[in-house]
Amino acid sequence: QVQLVESGGGLVQAGGSLTLSCAASGRTFSSYVMGWFRQAPEKEREFVTAINWSGGSTYYADSVKGRFTISRDNAKNTVYLQMNSLKPEDTAVYYCAASREWGVRATTPAWYGSWGQGTQVTVSS
């Protein structure tokens, strides 16, 4: 288990940009693969992107490819989500999550054992 805290959410206009951060506790951050998920009201939680231990491998949902970028700074125990060209349909609560394992199933919520509290992203038209 690792404690995760998201920050950086807010209100932006369509076409704008926003960067989310997820800070993790502990000295073993580099032992975790990290993911970002989002959940809109009355909708299921959906995968956004994930990054492996070193940052050398990533997954992206088709809906965000070319617009969002995940990165991590293990020295700072932080994973980032850079969001560009935001659309109203990106509006959701964004959650970061941590897992010990990496693979294609890192795109599923059940892969992750630790979750942050979420941060609201609202994109206006």
Side-chain angles (χ1 to χ4, degrees), residues 71-119:
S71 62
R72 67 189 297 162
D73 187 338
N74 287 345
K76 295 183 177 180
N77 279 21
T78 303
V79 64
Y80 304 94
L81 180 62
Q82 175 66 50
M83 303 183 292
N84 299 322
S85 301
L86 283 162
K87 305 174 181 179
E89 50 262 46
D90 295 318
T91 295
V93 176
Y94 283 71
Y95 299 90
C96 67
S99 175
R100 290 286 191 179
E101 304 290 341
W102 179 249
V104 66
R105 292 176 66 182
T107 62
T108 66
W111 191 254
Y112 297 86
S114 299
W115 294 84
Q117 83 288 350
T119 185

Short mmCIF file of all heavy atoms in Angstrom, two decimals, residues 71-119:
data_model
loop_
_atom_site.label_atom_id
_atom_site.label_comp_id
_atom_site.label_asym_id
_atom_site.label_seq_id
_atom_site.Cartn_x
_atom_site.Cartn_y
_atom_site.Cartn_z
N SER A 71 3.96 11.17 -17.25
CA SER A 71 5.38 11.14 -16.94
C SER A 71 5.55 10.93 -15.45
O SER A 71 4.60 11.07 -14.68
CB SER A 71 6.07 12.43 -17.40
OG SER A 71 5.54 13.56 -16.72
N ARG A 72 6.76 10.61 -15.04
CA ARG A 72 7.02 10.44 -13.62
C ARG A 72 8.41 10.93 -13.27
O ARG A 72 9.32 10.92 -14.10
CB ARG A 72 6.86 8.97 -13.20
CG ARG A 72 7.89 8.01 -13.77
CD ARG A 72 7.50 6.55 -13.48
NE ARG A 72 7.47 6.27 -12.06
CZ ARG A 72 6.83 5.22 -11.52
NH1 ARG A 72 6.17 4.38 -12.30
NH2 ARG A 72 6.87 5.05 -10.20
N ASP A 73 8.54 11.37 -12.05
CA ASP A 73 9.81 11.79 -11.50
C ASP A 73 10.00 11.00 -10.22
O ASP A 73 9.46 11.35 -9.18
CB ASP A 73 9.83 13.30 -11.24
CG ASP A 73 11.19 13.82 -10.83
OD1 ASP A 73 12.02 13.03 -10.35
OD2 ASP A 73 11.42 15.03 -10.98
N ASN A 74 10.77 9.92 -10.31
CA ASN A 74 10.92 9.04 -9.16
C ASN A 74 11.65 9.72 -8.01
O ASN A 74 11.43 9.38 -6.85
CB ASN A 74 11.63 7.76 -9.57
CG ASN A 74 10.75 6.84 -10.39
OD1 ASN A 74 9.53 7.00 -10.44
ND2 ASN A 74 11.36 5.87 -11.05
N ALA A 75 12.52 10.67 -8.33
CA ALA A 75 13.22 11.40 -7.28
C ALA A 75 12.26 12.24 -6.46
O ALA A 75 12.54 12.55 -5.30
CB ALA A 75 14.32 12.27 -7.87
N LYS A 76 11.13 12.63 -7.06
CA LYS A 76 10.13 13.44 -6.37
C LYS A 76 8.91 12.63 -5.95
O LYS A 76 7.95 13.20 -5.43
CB LYS A 76 9.68 14.60 -7.26
CG LYS A 76 10.78 15.60 -7.56
CD LYS A 76 10.25 16.76 -8.39
CE LYS A 76 11.31 17.80 -8.64
NZ LYS A 76 10.81 18.94 -9.44
N ASN A 77 8.93 11.33 -6.19
CA ASN A 77 7.79 10.47 -5.85
C ASN A 77 6.49 11.00 -6.45
O ASN A 77 5.44 11.01 -5.80
CB ASN A 77 7.64 10.34 -4.33
CG ASN A 77 8.59 9.32 -3.73
OD1 ASN A 77 9.61 8.96 -4.32
ND2 ASN A 77 8.25 8.83 -2.54
N THR A 78 6.56 11.42 -7.70
CA THR A 78 5.41 12.08 -8.31
C THR A 78 5.20 11.59 -9.74
O THR A 78 6.17 11.41 -10.49
CB THR A 78 5.60 13.60 -8.32
OG1 THR A 78 5.79 14.06 -6.97
CG2 THR A 78 4.37 14.30 -8.89
N VAL A 79 3.94 11.38 -10.09
CA VAL A 79 3.55 11.10 -11.46
C VAL A 79 2.69 12.26 -11.94
O VAL A 79 1.94 12.85 -11.17
CB VAL A 79 2.81 9.75 -11.57
CG1 VAL A 79 1.51 9.77 -10.80
CG2 VAL A 79 2.58 9.39 -13.04
N TYR A 80 2.82 12.59 -13.23
CA TYR A 80 2.14 13.74 -13.79
C TYR A 80 1.24 13.32 -14.95
O TYR A 80 1.48 12.32 -15.62
CB TYR A 80 3.14 14.77 -14.32
CG TYR A 80 4.14 15.24 -13.29
CD1 TYR A 80 5.38 14.64 -13.19
CD2 TYR A 80 3.83 16.28 -12.43
CE1 TYR A 80 6.31 15.07 -12.25
CE2 TYR A 80 4.75 16.71 -11.48
CZ TYR A 80 5.98 16.11 -11.39
OH TYR A 80 6.89 16.53 -10.46
N LEU A 81 0.22 14.11 -15.17
CA LEU A 81 -0.63 13.95 -16.34
C LEU A 81 -0.77 15.32 -17.00
O LEU A 81 -1.47 16.19 -16.47
CB LEU A 81 -2.00 13.39 -15.97
CG LEU A 81 -2.96 13.19 -17.14
CD1 LEU A 81 -2.41 12.17 -18.14
CD2 LEU A 81 -4.34 12.76 -16.65
N GLN A 82 -0.10 15.49 -18.12
CA GLN A 82 -0.20 16.71 -18.90
C GLN A 82 -1.35 16.55 -19.88
O GLN A 82 -1.33 15.64 -20.72
CB GLN A 82 1.09 17.01 -19.63
CG GLN A 82 1.04 18.21 -20.56
CD GLN A 82 0.84 19.51 -19.81
OE1 GLN A 82 1.56 19.79 -18.87
NE2 GLN A 82 -0.13 20.29 -20.24
N MET A 83 -2.34 17.41 -19.80
CA MET A 83 -3.53 17.34 -20.63
C MET A 83 -3.59 18.57 -21.51
O MET A 83 -3.65 19.69 -21.01
CB MET A 83 -4.78 17.23 -19.77
CG MET A 83 -4.76 16.05 -18.81
SD MET A 83 -6.30 15.89 -17.86
CE MET A 83 -6.18 17.36 -16.85
N ASN A 84 -3.58 18.35 -22.81
CA ASN A 84 -3.67 19.41 -23.79
C ASN A 84 -4.92 19.23 -24.64
O ASN A 84 -5.50 18.16 -24.69
CB ASN A 84 -2.44 19.43 -24.70
CG ASN A 84 -1.16 19.68 -23.95
OD1 ASN A 84 -1.12 20.47 -23.00
ND2 ASN A 84 -0.08 19.03 -24.37
N SER A 85 -5.30 20.29 -25.33
CA SER A 85 -6.46 20.25 -26.23
C SER A 85 -7.67 19.63 -25.54
O SER A 85 -8.34 18.76 -26.08
CB SER A 85 -6.12 19.48 -27.51
OG SER A 85 -5.02 20.07 -28.18
N LEU A 86 -7.95 20.10 -24.36
CA LEU A 86 -9.02 19.52 -23.56
C LEU A 86 -10.38 19.71 -24.20
O LEU A 86 -10.65 20.73 -24.83
CB LEU A 86 -9.00 20.11 -22.15
CG LEU A 86 -7.90 19.55 -21.25
CD1 LEU A 86 -7.67 20.46 -20.06
CD2 LEU A 86 -8.29 18.15 -20.78
N LYS A 87 -11.22 18.71 -24.02
CA LYS A 87 -12.57 18.69 -24.56
C LYS A 87 -13.57 18.58 -23.42
O LYS A 87 -13.24 18.05 -22.35
CB LYS A 87 -12.75 17.50 -25.50
CG LYS A 87 -11.73 17.42 -26.63
CD LYS A 87 -11.91 16.13 -27.41
CE LYS A 87 -10.88 16.01 -28.52
NZ LYS A 87 -11.04 14.74 -29.28
N PRO A 88 -14.80 19.05 -23.62
CA PRO A 88 -15.80 18.89 -22.56
C PRO A 88 -15.97 17.46 -22.09
O PRO A 88 -16.23 17.23 -20.90
CB PRO A 88 -17.08 19.43 -23.21
CG PRO A 88 -16.58 20.44 -24.19
CD PRO A 88 -15.30 19.86 -24.73
N GLU A 89 -15.81 16.50 -22.98
CA GLU A 89 -15.95 15.11 -22.60
C GLU A 89 -14.81 14.60 -21.72
O GLU A 89 -14.88 13.47 -21.22
CB GLU A 89 -16.09 14.20 -23.84
CG GLU A 89 -15.02 14.44 -24.89
CD GLU A 89 -15.51 15.33 -26.01
OE1 GLU A 89 -16.12 16.38 -25.71
OE2 GLU A 89 -15.28 14.99 -27.19
N ASP A 90 -13.77 15.41 -21.52
CA ASP A 90 -12.72 15.07 -20.57
C ASP A 90 -13.12 15.39 -19.14
O ASP A 90 -12.38 15.04 -18.21
CB ASP A 90 -11.43 15.81 -20.91
CG ASP A 90 -10.84 15.39 -22.24
OD1 ASP A 90 -10.83 14.18 -22.54
OD2 ASP A 90 -10.38 16.28 -22.98
N THR A 91 -14.24 16.05 -18.96
CA THR A 91 -14.69 16.42 -17.63
C THR A 91 -14.94 15.17 -16.79
O THR A 91 -15.69 14.28 -17.18
CB THR A 91 -15.97 17.26 -17.70
OG1 THR A 91 -15.69 18.50 -18.35
CG2 THR A 91 -16.53 17.54 -16.31
N ALA A 92 -14.30 15.10 -15.63
CA ALA A 92 -14.40 13.94 -14.76
C ALA A 92 -13.57 14.18 -13.52
O ALA A 92 -12.79 15.14 -13.44
CB ALA A 92 -13.91 12.67 -15.47
N VAL A 93 -13.74 13.30 -12.55
CA VAL A 93 -12.80 13.22 -11.44
C VAL A 93 -11.66 12.32 -11.89
O VAL A 93 -11.90 11.20 -12.34
CB VAL A 93 -13.46 12.67 -10.17
CG1 VAL A 93 -12.42 12.52 -9.06
CG2 VAL A 93 -14.58 13.60 -9.71
N TYR A 94 -10.45 12.80 -11.77
CA TYR A 94 -9.27 12.05 -12.19
C TYR A 94 -8.58 11.45 -10.97
O TYR A 94 -8.31 12.14 -9.98
CB TYR A 94 -8.31 12.95 -12.95
CG TYR A 94 -8.75 13.21 -14.37
CD1 TYR A 94 -9.86 14.00 -14.63
CD2 TYR A 94 -8.08 12.64 -15.45
CE1 TYR A 94 -10.29 14.22 -15.92
CE2 TYR A 94 -8.49 12.86 -16.74
CZ TYR A 94 -9.60 13.65 -16.98
OH TYR A 94 -10.02 13.87 -18.27
N TYR A 95 -8.29 10.15 -11.06
CA TYR A 95 -7.67 9.41 -9.98
C TYR A 95 -6.33 8.85 -10.43
O TYR A 95 -6.20 8.34 -11.54
CB TYR A 95 -8.54 8.23 -9.55
CG TYR A 95 -9.90 8.59 -9.03
CD1 TYR A 95 -11.00 8.70 -9.89
CD2 TYR A 95 -10.11 8.80 -7.67
CE1 TYR A 95 -12.25 9.02 -9.40
CE2 TYR A 95 -11.36 9.12 -7.19
CZ TYR A 95 -12.43 9.23 -8.05
OH TYR A 95 -13.67 9.54 -7.56
N CYS A 96 -5.33 8.91 -9.56
CA CYS A 96 -4.11 8.16 -9.81
C CYS A 96 -4.14 6.88 -8.99
O CYS A 96 -4.83 6.78 -7.98
CB CYS A 96 -2.85 8.99 -9.51
SG CYS A 96 -2.59 9.41 -7.77
N ALA A 97 -3.40 5.90 -9.46
CA ALA A 97 -3.40 4.58 -8.84
C ALA A 97 -2.03 3.95 -8.98
O ALA A 97 -1.28 4.27 -9.89
CB ALA A 97 -4.46 3.69 -9.49
N ALA A 98 -1.71 3.04 -8.06
CA ALA A 98 -0.41 2.39 -8.03
C ALA A 98 -0.57 0.88 -7.99
O ALA A 98 -1.46 0.35 -7.33
CB ALA A 98 0.39 2.85 -6.81
N SER A 99 0.32 0.20 -8.71
CA SER A 99 0.37 -1.25 -8.74
C SER A 99 1.81 -1.71 -8.73
O SER A 99 2.71 -0.98 -9.15
CB SER A 99 -0.34 -1.79 -9.99
OG SER A 99 -0.21 -3.19 -10.09
N ARG A 100 2.05 -2.93 -8.28
CA ARG A 100 3.39 -3.50 -8.29
C ARG A 100 3.75 -4.10 -9.64
O ARG A 100 4.92 -4.34 -9.91
CB ARG A 100 3.51 -4.59 -7.22
CG ARG A 100 3.49 -4.06 -5.79
CD ARG A 100 4.80 -3.39 -5.44
NE ARG A 100 4.90 -3.12 -4.01
CZ ARG A 100 5.94 -2.57 -3.42
NH1 ARG A 100 7.01 -2.22 -4.14
NH2 ARG A 100 5.94 -2.36 -2.12
N GLU A 101 2.76 -4.33 -10.50
CA GLU A 101 2.98 -5.07 -11.74
C GLU A 101 2.72 -4.21 -12.96
O GLU A 101 1.94 -3.25 -12.92
CB GLU A 101 2.09 -6.32 -11.78
CG GLU A 101 2.26 -7.25 -10.60
CD GLU A 101 3.59 -7.98 -10.60
OE1 GLU A 101 4.23 -8.05 -11.67
OE2 GLU A 101 3.98 -8.48 -9.54
N TRP A 102 3.33 -4.58 -14.07
CA TRP A 102 3.16 -3.90 -15.34
C TRP A 102 2.73 -4.91 -16.39
O TRP A 102 3.25 -6.02 -16.46
CB TRP A 102 4.46 -3.22 -15.77
CG TRP A 102 4.37 -2.52 -17.08
CD1 TRP A 102 4.98 -2.86 -18.25
CD2 TRP A 102 3.64 -1.32 -17.37
NE1 TRP A 102 4.67 -1.96 -19.24
CE2 TRP A 102 3.85 -1.00 -18.72
CE3 TRP A 102 2.83 -0.48 -16.59
CZ2 TRP A 102 3.27 0.12 -19.33
CZ3 TRP A 102 2.26 0.63 -17.20
CH2 TRP A 102 2.48 0.91 -18.54
N GLY A 103 1.80 -4.51 -17.24
CA GLY A 103 1.33 -5.34 -18.33
C GLY A 103 0.08 -4.73 -18.93
O GLY A 103 -0.37 -3.66 -18.49
N VAL A 104 -0.48 -5.39 -19.93
CA VAL A 104 -1.65 -4.85 -20.60
C VAL A 104 -2.81 -4.67 -19.63
O VAL A 104 -3.64 -3.77 -19.81
CB VAL A 104 -2.05 -5.74 -21.79
CG1 VAL A 104 -2.53 -7.10 -21.33
CG2 VAL A 104 -3.11 -5.05 -22.64
N ARG A 105 -2.89 -5.48 -18.60
CA ARG A 105 -3.97 -5.36 -17.65
C ARG A 105 -3.82 -4.15 -16.74
O ARG A 105 -4.70 -3.86 -15.92
CB ARG A 105 -4.11 -6.65 -16.83
CG ARG A 105 -4.61 -7.83 -17.66
CD ARG A 105 -4.65 -9.11 -16.88
NE ARG A 105 -5.64 -9.08 -15.81
CZ ARG A 105 -5.84 -10.06 -14.96
NH1 ARG A 105 -5.12 -11.18 -15.05
NH2 ARG A 105 -6.76 -9.94 -14.03
N ALA A 106 -2.73 -3.42 -16.87
CA ALA A 106 -2.59 -2.15 -16.17
C ALA A 106 -3.58 -1.11 -16.67
O ALA A 106 -3.68 -0.02 -16.11
CB ALA A 106 -1.17 -1.62 -16.32
N THR A 107 -4.33 -1.44 -17.72
CA THR A 107 -5.38 -0.56 -18.21
C THR A 107 -6.71 -0.79 -17.51
O THR A 107 -7.70 -0.13 -17.83
CB THR A 107 -5.58 -0.75 -19.72
OG1 THR A 107 -5.99 -2.10 -19.99
CG2 THR A 107 -4.28 -0.46 -20.48
N THR A 108 -6.75 -1.72 -16.55
CA THR A 108 -7.99 -2.03 -15.85
C THR A 108 -7.89 -1.59 -14.40
O THR A 108 -6.84 -1.74 -13.76
CB THR A 108 -8.30 -3.53 -15.90
OG1 THR A 108 -7.31 -4.26 -15.17
CG2 THR A 108 -8.33 -4.03 -17.33
N PRO A 109 -8.97 -1.05 -13.83
CA PRO A 109 -8.93 -0.59 -12.44
C PRO A 109 -8.54 -1.66 -11.45
O PRO A 109 -7.85 -1.37 -10.46
CB PRO A 109 -10.35 -0.08 -12.19
CG PRO A 109 -10.87 0.29 -13.53
CD PRO A 109 -10.26 -0.71 -14.47
N ALA A 110 -8.96 -2.91 -11.69
CA ALA A 110 -8.69 -3.98 -10.74
C ALA A 110 -7.22 -4.31 -10.61
O ALA A 110 -6.83 -5.01 -9.68
CB ALA A 110 -9.48 -5.23 -11.15
N TRP A 111 -6.40 -3.84 -11.53
CA TRP A 111 -4.97 -4.07 -11.49
C TRP A 111 -4.31 -3.33 -10.33
O TRP A 111 -3.22 -3.73 -9.89
CB TRP A 111 -4.36 -3.61 -12.81
CG TRP A 111 -2.94 -4.00 -13.07
CD1 TRP A 111 -1.84 -3.19 -13.02
CD2 TRP A 111 -2.46 -5.29 -13.47
NE1 TRP A 111 -0.72 -3.89 -13.36
CE2 TRP A 111 -1.06 -5.19 -13.64
CE3 TRP A 111 -3.07 -6.52 -13.69
CZ2 TRP A 111 -0.27 -6.27 -14.02
CZ3 TRP A 111 -2.28 -7.60 -14.07
CH2 TRP A 111 -0.90 -7.46 -14.22
N TYR A 112 -4.93 -2.29 -9.86
CA TYR A 112 -4.31 -1.38 -8.92
C TYR A 112 -4.80 -1.58 -7.49
O TYR A 112 -6.00 -1.75 -7.26
CB TYR A 112 -4.56 0.07 -9.35
CG TYR A 112 -3.94 0.37 -10.68
CD1 TYR A 112 -4.61 0.10 -11.86
CD2 TYR A 112 -2.65 0.91 -10.76
CE1 TYR A 112 -4.00 0.34 -13.09
CE2 TYR A 112 -2.06 1.16 -11.98
CZ TYR A 112 -2.74 0.87 -13.14
OH TYR A 112 -2.15 1.11 -14.36
N GLY A 113 -3.87 -1.55 -6.56
CA GLY A 113 -4.21 -1.74 -5.17
C GLY A 113 -4.30 -0.48 -4.35
O GLY A 113 -4.85 -0.49 -3.25
N SER A 114 -3.76 0.62 -4.86
CA SER A 114 -3.76 1.88 -4.14
C SER A 114 -4.33 2.97 -5.03
O SER A 114 -4.00 3.03 -6.22
CB SER A 114 -2.35 2.27 -3.69
OG SER A 114 -1.80 1.30 -2.82
N TRP A 115 -5.15 3.83 -4.45
CA TRP A 115 -5.82 4.90 -5.18
C TRP A 115 -5.76 6.20 -4.41
O TRP A 115 -5.79 6.21 -3.18
CB TRP A 115 -7.29 4.55 -5.42
CG TRP A 115 -7.50 3.40 -6.34
CD1 TRP A 115 -7.47 2.08 -6.03
CD2 TRP A 115 -7.76 3.47 -7.74
NE1 TRP A 115 -7.69 1.31 -7.15
CE2 TRP A 115 -7.88 2.15 -8.21
CE3 TRP A 115 -7.91 4.53 -8.64
CZ2 TRP A 115 -8.14 1.86 -9.55
CZ3 TRP A 115 -8.17 4.24 -9.97
CH2 TRP A 115 -8.28 2.92 -10.41
N GLY A 116 -5.66 7.29 -5.16
CA GLY A 116 -5.78 8.61 -4.56
C GLY A 116 -7.22 9.00 -4.38
O GLY A 116 -8.15 8.27 -4.72
N GLN A 117 -7.43 10.19 -3.83
CA GLN A 117 -8.78 10.66 -3.53
C GLN A 117 -9.48 11.28 -4.73
O GLN A 117 -10.69 11.48 -4.71
CB GLN A 117 -8.74 11.68 -2.38
CG GLN A 117 -8.40 13.11 -2.79
CD GLN A 117 -6.96 13.32 -3.21
OE1 GLN A 117 -6.10 12.46 -3.03
NE2 GLN A 117 -6.68 14.50 -3.76
N GLY A 118 -8.73 11.59 -5.76
CA GLY A 118 -9.29 12.17 -6.96
C GLY A 118 -9.22 13.68 -6.98
O GLY A 118 -9.22 14.33 -5.94
N THR A 119 -9.16 14.24 -8.18
CA THR A 119 -9.19 15.68 -8.36
C THR A 119 -10.10 16.00 -9.55
O THR A 119 -10.05 15.34 -10.58
CB THR A 119 -7.77 16.25 -8.58
OG1 THR A 119 -7.81 17.68 -8.63
CG2 THR A 119 -7.12 15.71 -9.85
#
